Amino acid sequence: MEPVSANPSAPPPAHHVHALRRFNRYFTRRIGALDDHYLGQDRPLGEARLLFEIGGEGASLRELRSRLGLDAGYLSRMVRALETQGLVRVTVHPHDNRLRVAELTAAGRTEVTEQNRLADELAEGLLAGLGGRQRDELTAALGAAQRLLRLAAITVVRVDGASRDARDCLAAYAADIDARFPEGFDPAALVRPHEVSGDAGAFLVAYEEGRPVACGALRRLEPGVGEIRHVWVHPDARRLGLARRVLRGLEEHAGALGCTVVRLDTHAVLTEAQAMYRACGYTEIPRYDDNVYAAHWFEKRLPSAAKP
Amino acid sequence: MEPVSANPSAPPPAHHVHALRRFNRYFTRRIGALDDHYLGQDRPLGEARLLFEIGGEGASLRELRSRLGLDAGYLSRMVRALETQGLVRVTVHPHDNRLRVAELTAAGRTEVTEQNRLADELAEGLLAGLGGRQRDELTAALGAAQRLLRLAAITVVRVDGASRDARDCLAAYAADIDARFPEGFDPAALVRPHEVSGDAGAFLVAYEEGRPVACGALRRLEPGVGEIRHVWVHPDARRLGLARRVLRGLEEHAGALGCTVVRLDTHAVLTEAQAMYRACGYTEIPRYDDNVYAAHWFEKRLPSAAKP
DNA sequence: ATATTCCTTTGACTTTAGTCAAAGGAAAGT
DNA sequence: ACTTTCCTTTGACTAAAGTCAAAGGAATAT
């Protein structure tokens, strides 16, 4: 896996760094601390967090371990403690006897609900000091900040078209558009791994905290002409501007593979995608393939790789 | 001290509460955690935080205790530990032999600098994932959020005009405008405590985390006419919209004291203040007093207290 | 001057949080 | 079938964080 345009720009100017640190200091002191102390009520923080993380659906110990970053032994003991307190029930995983699954009992659920109520109350108390317009502003600012922080944490890397993550992404993509296209979607229309690997093309996957959240494929149509396909973003990661990042990465790879033009097609129902392609410099062209799902065809001339 | 328009509005809508909690969860997990772990490097977190809090200027143990919320005994031991490591020097307070003051030694300063460098690096790494425009957006969003969170934490209360905090605020106000008015300012022109206490008027102080950060006074000019004076905001708390809050509070008190009109004057150099008064519904009127510092006079007719 | 309040230190604990290694049962790869 | 890899449990610790109460010197209030 090689990172794609990892650092597109020079180191960030100091004032951004300071703004982030200032905010961090203020926020963790004012809010984070409060949250933790009040939530914990009568329970060690570790246990409170664990309960919260088990949540309504339950979770395997393995998952809890990775989500909370805990030592296996430590977690095992904590779960046992919660079990003897009657808050948690532990069973073996139905499909894999190595795994155990922790679920909340009724008492556990009550406690988590109470935790949530307290946290809500705390947040309400905080917001009570603001007027309606100011609350709107705050919510908007926090939303924007979170969006950008998430985006900053996502890395786009090139992977082999036959890799596990690539296949998973394509499967999710296929399921997604199958549900969206009125006529459904036949996975046979997906690119073959060899078309997007090695010198033939490229397959990019975006990772957020280790999980694939977006993908995009590039294959060669003819010498000098690449085709972008299967740009997909996980529902949880939409509206972050991730598709553009994947697109930019694919264009870079196209340039590196000697393409001067990239093309792509889209289905009639994917109107946001069409808008994005236009906004990214693509112009509509006549049909160039016989893709039965396509209704619009686009092309973009790549800036020739400038050498300094 | 009685709170002023403490809860001007109904409990905040759930979506604001959720937005705040969502952000809080994300932020503390992603950023806060990182920060702590990296900062601690080779040193327990408690000590690292303590070093940071002692900072360049040093601080009394008492202050450290309240800033960090630590047990006295625990703090005492931690400071001793840092002292034996040669990072901190402890001396008795020059004016109060009960107090000790902790200062950083050269070695301590080096370590804090290194801490800061690491934290900067971390922030840089985070920002590296964003483009220039996105960084600007992030900084703006964090700035707005912090401003609003601070504002939410500030409460405006009425205090006695002769109280310690009132006097401190007025002194700071006097020093402030003395530096700003070309002709200086004579503190004899300040209101007398009795003019702004009891039924005669009101004195409001805004507190942020226990410290006074703004004030404003109301006295009665003649029956039915109040005068607003000495609206002042601490330099650290400017640009939060605090002056407006104080002003609104004073207007409410004026209404409660039976005033239908409030007046105020401002100095020629305080142009932002003039703009604010206009934006808050004040209109310029002819000179109504003989205040030698005044160059503009304003008036606002108060909405008569509506009963439901 | 005397009582009271402050601030810090010390002793004696407890709880949380976390680490490391060994071991054993279960699934996956060959 | 056999090795390897996974996942969890247990034992044996350590370090950090925090609590409580007693005590003594310094300021303040009365």
Side-chain angles (χ1 to χ4, degrees):
Chain A
M1 303 204 312
E2 38 184 300
V4 167
S5 61
N7 289 345
S9 32
H15 79 276
H16 290 305
V17 170
H18 291 150
L20 179 55
R21 287 199 58 201
R22 197 175 334 117
F23 181 84
N24 186 15
R25 257 201 312 278
Y26 182 76
F27 192 82
T28 49
R29 198 168 50 78
R30 269 281 327 282
I31 324 286
L34 272 182
D35 215 43
D36 277 357
H37 276 101
Y38 281 77
L39 278 186
Q41 285 297 61
D42 220 17
R43 181 171 299 295
L45 231 95
E47 284 185 15
R49 276 203 280 255
L50 184 51
L51 275 179
F52 183 88
E53 205 63 35
I54 292 171
E57 281 113 76
S60 67
L61 296 199
R62 184 181 173 286
E63 209 178 326
L64 292 170
R65 200 146 46 81
S66 86
R67 283 216 293 250
L68 292 165
L70 296 174
D71 174 78
Y74 185 27
L75 175 66
S76 175
R77 261 180 273 260
M78 252 200 303
V79 169
R80 152 125 33 260
L82 291 176
E83 204 180 4
T84 62
Q85 288 171 75
L87 301 171
V88 156
R89 190 185 318 115
V90 180
T91 54
V92 301
H93 192 282
H95 304 316
D96 185 340
N97 284 335
R98 291 173 303 181
L99 293 171
R100 327 242 120 179
V101 189
E103 290 168 305
L104 297 179
T105 62
R109 230 178 318 251
T110 311
E111 170 141 353
V112 169
T113 307
E114 176 64 8
Q115 256 184 40
N116 270 314
R117 205 187 52 74
L118 282 172
D120 278 354
E121 224 167 57
L122 207 73
E124 276 170 25
L126 223 140
L127 290 167
L130 296 177
R133 192 154 5 132
Q134 291 171 326
R135 285 179 198 156
D136 291 342
E137 274 180 64
L138 178 60
T139 297
L142 292 179
Q146 193 172 347
R147 181 178 72 81
L148 289 159
L149 288 170
R150 280 187 70 185
L151 196 55
I154 294 175
T155 54
V156 177
V157 300
R158 179 177 182 184
V159 304
D160 190 272
S163 70
R164 173 78 200 258
D165 290 338
R167 280 180 296 130
D168 286 354
C169 278
L170 284 183
Y173 164 77
D176 197 350
I177 59 177
D178 182 53
R180 227 134 113 198
F181 293 176
E183 72 273 31
F185 178 76
D186 177 6
L190 294 172
V191 294
R192 308 283 146 212
H194 67 85
E195 296 179 278
V196 294
S197 302
D199 287 343
F203 196 94
L204 302 186
V205 173
Y207 291 91
E208 180 177 30
E209 304 183 26
R211 312 170 85 88
V213 290
C215 72
L218 171 77
R219 69 171 174 184
R220 204 184 315 244
L221 272 189
E222 54 192 80
V225 181
E227 184 185 31
I228 284 171
R229 302 203 65 189
H230 310 332
V231 172
W232 171 80
V233 178
H234 191 287
D236 292 345
R238 287 182 189 160
R239 317 222 47 83
L240 295 177
L242 204 42
R244 282 164 197 255
R245 235 173 66 200
V246 170
L247 198 59
R248 208 168 339 129
L250 290 170
E251 290 167 6
E252 278 171 31
H253 274 88
L257 290 172
C259 297
T260 54
V261 171
V262 286
R263 294 184 182 155
L264 54 84
D265 61 35
T266 78
H267 191 277
V269 302
L270 300 177
T271 50
E272 330 88 73
Q274 290 155 31
M276 182 196 68
Y277 292 131
R278 280 182 224 278
C280 287
Y282 287 76
T283 51
E284 193 151 4
I285 56 169
R287 167 189 286 272
Y288 66 80
D289 62 13
D290 55 357
N291 181 348
V292 295
Y293 299 106
H296 298 274
W297 293 263
F298 291 90
E299 181 175 283
K300 178 179 186 176
R301 183 155 297 276
L302 297 178
S304 54
K307 295 265 175 187
Chain B
M1 301 204 313
E2 38 185 299
V4 168
S5 61
N7 288 346
S9 33
H15 79 276
H16 290 304
V17 171
H18 290 151
L20 179 55
R21 287 199 56 201
R22 197 175 334 117
F23 181 84
N24 186 16
R25 260 201 309 279
Y26 182 76
F27 192 83
T28 49
R29 199 168 48 79
R30 269 280 329 281
I31 324 286
L34 271 182
D35 215 43
D36 277 357
H37 275 100
Y38 280 77
L39 276 186
Q41 284 297 63
D42 221 16
R43 179 172 301 294
L45 232 95
E47 285 184 14
R49 275 203 280 254
L50 184 50
L51 275 178
F52 184 88
E53 206 63 42
I54 293 171
E57 282 114 75
S60 67
L61 295 200
R62 183 179 174 287
E63 209 179 327
L64 292 170
R65 200 145 47 82
S66 87
R67 284 215 294 250
L68 292 165
L70 295 174
D71 174 79
Y74 186 26
L75 175 66
S76 175
R77 262 180 273 261
M78 251 198 306
V79 169
R80 152 125 34 260
L82 291 177
E83 203 180 3
T84 62
Q85 289 171 74
L87 301 171
V88 156
R89 189 185 319 115
V90 180
T91 54
V92 301
H93 192 282
H95 304 316
D96 186 339
N97 283 335
R98 291 173 304 180
L99 292 171
R100 327 242 121 179
V101 189
E103 290 168 305
L104 296 179
T105 62
R109 231 178 316 251
T110 311
E111 170 139 354
V112 169
T113 308
E114 175 65 8
Q115 255 184 38
N116 270 315
R117 205 187 52 73
L118 282 172
D120 278 353
E121 225 167 56
L122 205 73
E124 275 170 26
L126 222 140
L127 290 167
L130 296 177
R133 192 154 5 133
Q134 291 171 326
R135 285 178 198 157
D136 290 342
E137 275 180 63
L138 178 61
T139 297
L142 293 179
Q146 192 172 348
R147 181 177 73 81
L148 290 159
L149 288 170
R150 280 187 69 184
L151 196 55
I154 293 175
T155 54
V156 177
V157 300
R158 179 177 181 185
V159 303
D160 189 274
S163 69
R164 173 76 199 260
D165 290 338
R167 279 181 295 130
D168 286 354
C169 279
L170 283 183
Y173 164 76
D176 197 350
I177 59 178
D178 181 53
R180 226 134 114 200
F181 294 176
E183 70 275 30
F185 177 76
D186 176 6
L190 293 173
V191 295
R192 307 284 145 211
H194 67 84
E195 296 179 279
V196 295
S197 301
D199 288 344
F203 197 93
L204 302 187
V205 172
Y207 291 91
E208 180 176 31
E209 304 184 27
R211 313 170 86 87
V213 290
C215 72
L218 171 77
R219 69 171 174 183
R220 203 185 317 244
L221 270 190
E222 55 193 78
V225 181
E227 184 187 29
I228 283 171
R229 301 202 64 189
H230 310 331
V231 172
W232 170 80
V233 178
H234 191 288
D236 293 344
R238 287 183 188 159
R239 315 223 47 84
L240 295 177
L242 205 41
R244 283 163 195 255
R245 238 178 60 204
V246 170
L247 198 58
R248 208 165 341 125
L250 290 170
E251 290 167 6
E252 278 171 31
H253 274 88
L257 289 173
C259 298
T260 55
V261 171
V262 286
R263 295 186 181 153
L264 55 84
D265 61 35
T266 77
H267 191 277
V269 302
L270 300 178
T271 51
E272 331 89 71
Q274 291 155 32
M276 181 196 69
Y277 292 131
R278 280 182 223 279
C280 287
Y282 286 76
T283 51
E284 193 152 4
I285 56 170
R287 166 189 286 271
Y288 66 80
D289 63 13
D290 55 358
N291 181 348
V292 295
Y293 299 107
H296 299 275
W297 293 264
F298 292 89
E299 181 175 284
K300 180 179 185 175
R301 183 156 297 276
L302 297 178
S304 54
K307 296 264 172 186

